[in-house]
Amino acid sequence: MALPTYASPLEKVWHYAYLAICAAIFFFLIAPIVVVIPLSFNAEPYFTFTDKMLSLDPEGYSLRWYDSLLTFGMARPDAPRDLTWWADAWQNAKWVNAAKSSIIIGVFSTLVATVLGTLAALGLSRPEMPWRRAIMAILISPMIVPIIITATGMFFFYSNPCEPLTWIGLDPQCGRLAGTYLGVILAHATLGIPFVIITVTATLVGFDQSLNRAAASLGANPRTTFFRITMPLILPGVISGALFAFVTSFDEVVAVLFIAGPDQQTIPRQMWNGIREQISPAILAVATLLVIFSIALLTTVELLRRRSERLRGLTPR
């Protein structure tokens, strides 16, 4: 924003100093992420810039680490790249299997978190709801409590989920949730619910409750009112919360290390194993793809936020 013509010299100095401080903070935050991108194209198996890369020599750059995401773990990586090769990559490549596990867990945990979080936000938005602040604090506690504590508690609970029922004299037949896809999905849903609650609650702040009362006065039942009136207006907030829940699931590694079994090898867990067992610039290639994926999701969230504000009349069309 340009300074007005009547700005004093001190105001001009503060304006440009403020811009410089913001630029420095932005550079401090974004530099560690940006530096990963060119390193992922390194032709050598190093995590540093080589002389050829610094001199912009084309021989210093390569897509070998992106190619290794498909070939690492394959039975025949050097075979001709026909349908058999792609089937081998789909079945045996470790990074491909990790991506499949992350997507499966992320999608189902997002569905659970979105449904439960939206219902909770709708209940907390009603003025007659008792103990709203206390319930809100409990529901968003997974976002506040350190993840290592949450993961440890989940591990002990998932090891014997029926133990609380045993304390009160019941003896139900329950299986272990630890080491199963269901356990990881429920754990990630627990971590994603607070984001859905916060985004949907923020959307409901500007919601006109008289619309629901008008629909009821015209004979609409609660289900029709929700799907025809409430849901279209809060849909941008619901989708934003779902995207945040999906990103939380896609990025989570601590809970996976505690709960998941050998079959639930997600991308963050595969990156963790790669750092501990086999340091390879392929990790930088995965990080670059995740940065691009995150930017796309954040752009979508911002567009949905603006659409939500237009629908609620907070900004001009």
Side-chain angles (χ1 to χ4, degrees):
M1 185 177 68
L3 283 172
T5 56
Y6 54 82
S8 65
L10 184 60
E11 290 176 338
K12 294 181 180 179
V13 170
W14 166 244
H15 174 75
Y16 291 113
Y18 175 76
L19 293 179
I21 293 172
C22 291
I25 295 174
F26 179 78
F27 176 79
F28 177 78
L29 294 175
I30 205 70
I33 300 175
V34 174
V35 75
V36 169
I37 298 177
L39 285 176
S40 66
F41 297 97
N42 193 351
E44 302 296 333
Y46 307 129
F47 282 79
T48 58
F49 289 96
T50 61
D51 294 335
K52 291 184 178 181
M53 294 184 68
L54 295 176
S55 61
L56 301 180
D57 188 347
E59 294 183 357
Y61 296 87
S62 173
L63 295 174
R64 58 180 295 193
W65 306 118
Y66 290 90
D67 185 71
S68 68
L69 300 181
L70 295 174
T71 59
F72 181 63
M74 288 179 58
R76 298 180 58 193
D78 297 328
R81 301 201 174 188
D82 51 12
L83 293 178
T84 304
W85 188 91
W86 286 104
D88 185 12
W90 181 259
Q91 292 294 331
N92 300 318
K94 291 187 176 181
W95 287 106
V96 174
N97 288 328
K100 290 190 292 185
S101 296
S102 291
I103 292 174
I104 291 172
I105 294 172
V107 169
F108 284 101
S109 64
T110 298
L111 291 175
V112 175
T114 303
V115 173
L116 297 181
T118 302
L119 293 176
L122 290 171
L124 293 172
S125 65
R126 301 183 67 86
E128 65 271 16
M129 180 72 182
W131 307 100
R132 283 190 297 172
R133 294 184 181 275
I135 296 175
M136 173 68 81
I138 295 173
L139 291 178
I140 67 173
S141 60
M143 191 171 60
I144 302 171
V145 177
I147 184 60
I148 187 68
I149 297 176
T150 304
T152 304
M154 288 180 179
F155 171 75
F156 286 110
F157 176 74
Y158 283 5
S159 298
N160 191 358
C162 288
E163 186 174 354
L165 298 178
T166 306
W167 294 344
I168 60 177
L170 299 177
D171 188 19
Q173 299 295 323
C174 289
R176 291 166 53 93
L177 290 174
T180 63
Y181 271 104
L182 178 60
V184 180
I185 290 172
L186 293 178
H188 284 195
T190 302
L191 299 175
I193 285 175
F195 294 95
V196 179
I197 292 176
I198 290 175
T199 54
V200 177
T201 301
T203 306
L204 288 169
V205 168
F207 183 77
D208 189 1
Q209 296 293 340
S210 62
L211 296 175
N212 290 337
R213 293 191 291 269
S217 67
L218 294 175
N221 56 42
R223 182 176 61 85
T224 302
T225 301
F226 175 76
F227 285 105
R228 300 292 296 272
I229 304 297
T230 306
M231 192 61 183
L233 292 176
I234 67 172
L235 186 59
V238 173
I239 297 177
S240 298
L243 291 176
F244 277 115
F246 183 80
V247 171
T248 301
S249 173
F250 210 81
D251 185 58
E252 179 54 42
V253 64
V254 179
V256 175
L257 291 175
F258 273 83
I259 297 170
D263 294 334
Q264 296 85 48
Q265 196 75 253
T266 61
I267 289 180
R269 188 180 183 184
Q270 181 65 34
M271 295 177 70
W272 172 261
N273 293 337
I275 293 174
R276 294 177 65 237
E277 301 170 3
Q278 181 184 2
I279 298 179
S280 168
I283 299 174
L284 301 179
V286 177
T288 301
L289 295 177
L290 291 179
V291 168
I292 296 173
F293 179 69
S294 300
I295 292 175
L297 286 181
L298 290 176
T299 303
T300 304
V301 170
E302 177 62 19
L303 294 176
L304 289 172
R305 185 190 65 82
R306 295 185 179 183
R307 181 178 182 275
S308 176
E309 290 184 351
R310 290 196 301 270
L311 288 176
R312 291 182 292 158
L314 298 180
T315 56
R317 296 182 179 273

